[in-house]
Amino acid sequence: MSTYRAARIGYRRCFGSDTTVRTPIIRAHSEVVFHWLNFGFRVAGMALTPPIVLTIAGFDPSSGAGITADIKTIAAHECYGVSCITALTVQSTQGVRRVEGVDPKIIVETLGELVSDLAVDAVHIGMLGNAQVVEAVASFLGQIFPGRAKLPHVVLDPVLKSSSGADLLDAAGTRILIEKLLPLAELITPNLDEASVLTGTAVTNLDQMREAAARLHSLGAANVVVTGGHLEKAIDLLSFTTARGTEEEVFKADRQRSNSTHGTGCAFATALACHLAHGRGLPEAVLLSKVYVSAAIANAHPLGHGVGPLNHLYRMGQQRRSSTVVSEGEHVHSRN
Amino acid sequence: MSTYRAARIGYRRCFGSDTTVRTPIIRAHSEVVFHWLNFGFRVAGMALTPPIVLTIAGFDPSSGAGITADIKTIAAHECYGVSCITALTVQSTQGVRRVEGVDPKIIVETLGELVSDLAVDAVHIGMLGNAQVVEAVASFLGQIFPGRAKLPHVVLDPVLKSSSGADLLDAAGTRILIEKLLPLAELITPNLDEASVLTGTAVTNLDQMREAAARLHSLGAANVVVTGGHLEKAIDLLSFTTARGTEEEVFKADRQRSNSTHGTGCAFATALACHLAHGRGLPEAVLLSKVYVSAAIANAHPLGHGVGPLNHLYRMGQQRRSSTVVSEGEHVHSRN
């Protein structure tokens, strides 16, 4: 029997297996000690269990985006992925044909079942679909993890439209997302269009990205990445809060001309959640996630008649084939 | 532009991109030529695009079973996975709490959208949930791929109960599965309990497995694997049809004592679909799939408080860590 499993069984015998009912202080403390011991083992390369990343998002049958793509992204980052579907879509590489929301009651039950069984290290939130679902997810996160300090890492990708133009969140949903979900997130990752809708201003260049980030901070966002992959020169702006105030990093890269870009936003945000789950800092997490998405695009196969999927697990292929070199682009750091 | 992409665009210009409407004989012939050229490239290691495997199954939030687990299994076999959800379940490693069927109309729309965009090489069918869904899937496969010769490889895992005991297909569904879906499948993969329900006889040892396989052949099954992983010595029986009649192979292995066996049936059947998509023969496909599942169990992490998931993508970890040696067990071939 492994040391880990022995420790786990010993732990369970002492303190029970129900993580939702753990009122005695000694039990809560032991959970924390156990968590950090496990984390220490993981950092030392001796682990045991991978970090657990939960994705709350839509379902895309073609696996370009949504939970199945996220599960691959999570596996590519050596984490274990679990998922909660917010909406079924009928889609392929040629676009979104139909969206069917999932009953918020099932969503809440699913989230409850997952967190009572597994210690979630990070949460990726993607497409939510409608106001009821946004409300359900926000109140669940607030109830299960009350108080900011106890939240796992939450990365919120405010998905409003598909890349093919279908509406993926209504106006009421957007309002509740800003009001209730945004303050719970450790990081929010809007693209230019989403930043524009969330802040009510035009966002088409770096200066406007800075203004949008400042506005999102004032709305309660702790940290913001505005992704400008659609600009002529791809620019991402990370604006983050430190003990010294708000700092920024600007990431520039050549724009990739490719037809395999279905779900790049999902892959980027999910990769960020994984890096945070591994204990990495924000600037490093953003840089590594950008490199990952670039490589997944560069290694993609031409699939389907429309905008094809990334190759989320390209690293598997690289066991046998030579790797594609991906430029990390320019990287500028400054402090406000 | 790659040779493949140029060929693909040229092909599309000549013959259009809608694969569902392709009546002229010349168009049908060109599709076949194109398919075999692509297959040839793939065999020669110059590919281009991976085989596409479609999984039609339930959704398990904890990723131990269902479509997200299948997508990982498919990726582990260097295929590209697409999926159609038949039912949402609320479950974790501790068991199935709730099952919510998906509207058969959405299932048919999803399948139609996928096959009109992507050339599916193999189909894995897992949990279907109820009679309407079985009917919808059977009639879809029959309509889209009329006539046996044109079917992609179809592997049918007749899922009737979860390993935690929840009913996953009603009696009416089981009847329609036998009547309409079983004759469309290239391979059916019941475990002992499923073989018993499908044939109405007790199946607890190798002789009874042989009788069950014969009965399933008489019901219209072309090829059968009865999996006996729960026997004291794990025995799988492959009974398959060749030009010389019905042959059998018996695969024996030591039973693995592990708590990480949630979804082994899904992983085995999906791996089989991938090997068939790669053009491998049945005995080889069964042997390789058994080895894969054993290795995925042996490399699993202890996750959750119940029966944990396999490590479907253990090969990624083996890039850095030393690999676990997995016995291929005994292997007996005989002909009737």
Side-chain angles (χ1 to χ4, degrees), chain A residues 251-276:
Chain A
F251 302 84
K252 292 182 185 172
D254 286 331
R255 188 174 167 186
Q256 278 176 291
R257 308 276 166 202
S258 169
N259 197 35
S260 301
T261 57
H262 185 86
T264 43
C266 302
F268 180 67
T270 306
L272 279 169
C274 296
H275 287 300
L276 296 180

Side-chain angles (χ1 to χ4, degrees), chain A residues 15-75:
Chain A
F15 305 111
S17 64
D18 186 355
T19 57
T20 57
V21 191
R22 199 171 280 128
T23 39
I25 290 175
I26 186 170
R27 187 174 283 190
H29 278 208
S30 304
E31 164 102 311
V32 169
V33 169
F34 186 79
H35 177 82
W36 284 107
L37 268 178
N38 194 21
F39 184 77
F41 274 125
R42 198 180 282 159
V43 171
M46 293 162 65
L48 314 178
T49 56
I52 295 174
V53 178
L54 160 65
T55 176
I56 305 173
F59 167 68
D60 169 3
S62 68
S63 278
I67 57 122
T68 49
D70 293 344
I71 290 287
K72 289 190 282 184
T73 299
I74 295 167

Side-chain angles (χ1 to χ4, degrees), chain A residues 2 4-5 8 12 16-19 22 47-50 52 59-64 67-69 71-72 75-78 80-85 88-95 97-98 100 102-103 105-106 109-110 113-114 116-118 258-260 300-306 309-310 312-313 315-321, chain B residues 2 4-5 8 12 16-19 22 47-50 52 59-64 67-69 71-72 75-78 80-85 88-95 97-98 100 102-103 105-106 109-110 113-114 116-118 258-260 300-306 309-310 312-313 315-321:
Chain A
S2 69
Y4 173 80
R5 191 167 287 193
R8 183 113 182 175
R12 232 186 289 161
S17 64
D18 186 355
T19 57
R22 199 171 280 128
L48 314 178
T49 56
I52 295 174
F59 167 68
D60 169 3
S62 68
S63 278
I67 57 122
T68 49
I71 290 287
K72 289 190 282 184
H77 288 86
E78 304 206 327
Y80 185 78
V82 294
S83 57
C84 174
I85 295 181
L88 299 174
T89 70
V90 175
Q91 70 175 295
S92 64
T93 68
Q94 302 186 83
R97 310 293 184 204
R98 181 170 169 178
E100 283 288 321
V102 169
D103 183 349
K105 273 187 213 151
I106 297 180
E109 271 182 49
T110 302
E113 182 67 24
L114 287 174
S116 73
D117 188 36
L118 297 154
S258 169
N259 197 35
S260 301
H301 302 289
L303 289 164
H305 297 124
L310 319 184
H312 296 92
L313 287 159
R315 282 168 186 149
M316 284 199 78
Q318 289 180 343
Q319 285 180 263
R320 279 176 232 172
R321 293 184 280 276
Chain B
S2 70
Y4 173 80
R5 192 168 286 192
R8 184 114 181 177
R12 233 187 286 161
S17 64
D18 186 353
T19 57
R22 197 172 280 129
L48 309 184
T49 57
I52 294 173
F59 167 67
D60 168 2
S62 68
S63 278
I67 56 123
T68 50
I71 290 286
K72 288 189 283 185
H77 289 85
E78 304 206 330
Y80 185 80
V82 295
S83 56
C84 175
I85 295 182
L88 299 175
T89 71
V90 175
Q91 70 175 294
S92 64
T93 67
Q94 302 186 84
R97 309 292 183 207
R98 181 170 170 178
E100 282 288 320
V102 169
D103 182 350
K105 272 188 213 152
I106 297 182
E109 270 182 51
T110 301
E113 181 67 25
L114 286 174
S116 72
D117 188 36
L118 296 155
S258 168
N259 197 35
S260 301
H301 301 289
L303 288 165
H305 297 123
L310 320 185
H312 297 92
L313 286 159
R315 281 167 187 150
M316 284 200 78
Q318 288 180 343
Q319 285 180 262
R320 279 178 232 171
R321 291 184 281 275

Side-chain angles (χ1 to χ4, degrees), chain A:
Chain A
M1 190 189 304
S2 69
T3 319
Y4 173 80
R5 191 167 287 193
R8 183 113 182 175
I9 290 168
Y11 169 78
R12 232 186 289 161
R13 276 199 196 127
C14 294
F15 305 111
S17 64
D18 186 355
T19 57
T20 57
V21 191
R22 199 171 280 128
T23 39
I25 290 175
I26 186 170
R27 187 174 283 190
H29 278 208
S30 304
E31 164 102 311
V32 169
V33 169
F34 186 79
H35 177 82
W36 284 107
L37 268 178
N38 194 21
F39 184 77
F41 274 125
R42 198 180 282 159
V43 171
M46 293 162 65
L48 314 178
T49 56
I52 295 174
V53 178
L54 160 65
T55 176
I56 305 173
F59 167 68
D60 169 3
S62 68
S63 278
I67 57 122
T68 49
D70 293 344
I71 290 287
K72 289 190 282 184
T73 299
I74 295 167
H77 288 86
E78 304 206 327
C79 296
Y80 185 78
V82 294
S83 57
C84 174
I85 295 181
T86 55
L88 299 174
T89 70
V90 175
Q91 70 175 295
S92 64
T93 68
Q94 302 186 83
V96 178
R97 310 293 184 204
R98 181 170 169 178
V99 177
E100 283 288 321
V102 169
D103 183 349
K105 273 187 213 151
I106 297 180
I107 294 172
V108 171
E109 271 182 49
T110 302
L111 294 173
E113 182 67 24
L114 287 174
V115 302
S116 73
D117 188 36
L118 297 154
V120 172
D121 294 283
V123 182
H124 162 256
I125 303 174
M127 172 192 173
L128 294 172
N130 61 51
Q132 291 75 43
V133 175
V134 181
E135 185 86 60
V137 170
S139 71
F140 180 85
L141 288 180
Q143 277 167 24
I144 290 293
F145 310 111
R148 187 98 181 219
K150 285 186 185 173
L151 272 179
H153 304 282
V154 177
V155 176
L156 171 64
D157 185 12
V159 176
L160 306 178
K161 268 185 199 297
S162 76
S163 45
S164 57
D167 274 323
L168 300 181
L169 188 63
D170 51 22
T174 308
R175 219 170 32 245
I176 299 173
L177 182 138
I178 293 173
E179 194 184 312
K180 299 192 176 170
L181 210 44
L182 187 139
L184 294 173
E186 179 170 340
L187 179 62
I188 173 167
T189 64
N191 64 22
L192 298 181
D193 291 342
E194 289 154 358
S196 173
V197 173
L198 294 179
T199 60
T201 56
V203 185
T204 57
N205 58 40
L206 184 55
D207 282 338
Q208 290 176 338
M209 287 161 81
R210 287 199 174 100
E211 286 164 25
R215 173 93 184 106
L216 288 166
H217 284 308
S218 74
L219 288 169
N223 306 294
V224 181
V225 187
V226 184
T227 58
H230 299 300
L231 294 173
E232 193 48 40
K233 182 103 179 168
I235 300 179
D236 294 336
L237 170 74
L238 167 64
S239 178
F240 61 116
T241 312
T242 68
R244 294 168 299 215
T246 305
E247 298 187 25
E248 75 168 36
E249 299 234 8
V250 176
F251 302 84
K252 292 182 185 172
D254 286 331
R255 188 174 167 186
Q256 278 176 291
R257 308 276 166 202
S258 169
N259 197 35
S260 301
T261 57
H262 185 86
T264 43
C266 302
F268 180 67
T270 306
L272 279 169
C274 296
H275 287 300
L276 296 180
H278 276 296
R280 300 198 175 99
L282 276 173
E284 190 189 6
V286 173
L287 182 62
L288 291 173
S289 300
K290 270 179 72 75
V291 171
Y292 168 73
V293 172
S294 299
I297 294 173
N299 286 281
H301 302 289
L303 289 164
H305 297 124
V307 179
L310 319 184
N311 186 352
H312 296 92
L313 287 159
Y314 67 91
R315 282 168 186 149
M316 284 199 78
Q318 289 180 343
Q319 285 180 263
R320 279 176 232 172
R321 293 184 280 276
S322 64
S323 65
T324 305
V325 177
V326 177
S327 151
E328 298 194 1
E330 296 169 52
H331 180 206
V332 184
H333 181 269
S334 63
R335 192 177 303 160
N336 291 340

